[in-house]
Amino acid sequence: MAESPTDTTALARTCQDLYTALRQDAPLVQCLTNFVSMNIAANVLLAMGASPAMVHATDEAPEFARVAGAVVINIGTLSAPWLESMLLTAASARQAGIPWLLDPVAHHATAFRRDAVRQLLALQPTIVRGNASEIIALAGGQSAGKGVDARDAVAQAEQSARDIATAHRTVVAVTGETDYVTDGGRSVRVTGGSPLMPRVTATGCALTALVGAFAAVSKDDAYPAAVAALSCFAIAGQRASALAEGPGSFAWRFLDALASLEADSLTRESPLR
């Protein structure tokens, strides 16, 4: 599928509208996420006006998915019981028409993780968000990544992202120094952010949770939902970085920057290219 030229001005306006809808609707986002990211993911969602629910137990997570606005599945601290819950919850969300997102953290590191992601992809995630190394490996390529670290440039992962989006009928967001979002037919790059972001644990995982919040208010089209979330992170990251003295002060300033975003920030300070 050939990519269409991107009208970044119109897309930025759509992102602004989604931001307004998120603030008004306060969507409930169910996060089956790793132990490291639970706190920051919840705080990011709260700062943006969404409602986090870290409901992951097999006994209740699939049922809870049917009342959530979106479901986020992150395999960072994967275990057999968690995988069972993730598969059941993703299937439940899909059956109920609830958008669900996959964050394939270090999926290429072990056979257990590779098999887990294979099963989850078969359940057709609405959006996949990962770093460049994860996306290259997910498409079957050879990445330089080790563990959760990305050692490939986002530009090297763009074709992989398009291939995944087309094969699995999903939206793929590749994050790094310059982010890239595609649904196989449309694509855009998102600039901004801060070099301090990778030095604060689980910022990428928290970003996936925020993508879920935007997906909850954009159920007819997941593509601008991913772009809106990445835009918020890019703008807030730049604002926080301008005042931060290091990763510690950046972390709390970043939450404050997210909380103080105005709707028109997404058009006035649009990071879309």
Side-chain angles (χ1 to χ4, degrees), residues 6-237:
T6 299
D7 182 344
T8 55
T9 300
L11 184 54
R13 285 197 296 267
T14 300
C15 291
Q16 178 176 316
D17 292 342
L18 290 177
Y19 174 90
T20 300
L22 190 155
R23 290 287 193 179
Q24 291 176 344
D25 296 351
L28 177 62
V29 183
Q30 181 183 2
C31 300
L32 286 77
T33 191
N34 66 74
F35 294 116
V36 179
S37 72
M38 286 186 184
N39 183 267
I40 186 173
N43 282 336
V44 162
L45 288 172
L46 290 169
M48 286 293 295
S51 179
M54 299 340 198
V55 179
H56 65 267
T58 306
D59 295 332
E60 64 172 347
E63 179 184 356
F64 193 90
R66 295 178 176 272
V67 300
V71 173
V72 175
I73 292 178
N74 175 307
I75 69 166
T77 51
L78 192 62
S79 66
W82 274 45
L83 176 56
E84 179 187 6
S85 183
M86 289 172 176
L87 292 170
L88 291 172
T89 304
S92 179
R94 182 184 174 202
Q95 185 178 36
I98 304 297
W100 79 272
L101 293 80
L102 175 62
D103 193 330
V105 179
H107 70 90
H108 48 298
T110 67
F112 178 51
R113 288 175 177 272
R114 289 191 293 272
D115 184 60
V117 165
R118 178 187 60 78
Q119 294 180 71
L120 286 164
L121 276 176
L123 294 171
Q124 295 183 312
T126 309
I127 302 171
V128 177
R129 201 290 310 170
N131 64 40
S133 296
E134 289 163 346
I135 296 303
I136 290 170
L138 198 62
Q142 291 293 318
S143 80
K146 292 186 177 180
V148 299
D149 296 328
R151 300 197 177 188
D152 298 283
V154 171
Q156 294 175 281
E158 290 185 1
Q159 184 59 55
S160 296
R162 291 191 292 270
D163 291 344
I164 294 167
T166 301
H168 295 280
R169 297 181 182 179
T170 188
V171 172
V172 179
V174 192
T175 53
E177 187 173 347
T178 296
D179 305 328
Y180 178 76
V181 184
T182 184
D183 63 0
R186 297 171 289 179
S187 69
V188 71
R189 294 176 183 86
V190 185
T191 61
S194 166
L196 289 171
M197 295 173 98
R199 297 176 64 190
V200 177
T201 190
T203 51
C205 301
L207 172 57
T208 308
L210 184 59
V211 175
F214 276 103
V217 297
S218 183
K219 291 183 179 179
D220 293 334
D221 189 357
Y223 174 72
V227 177
L230 270 59
S231 296
C232 289
F233 257 52
I235 296 167

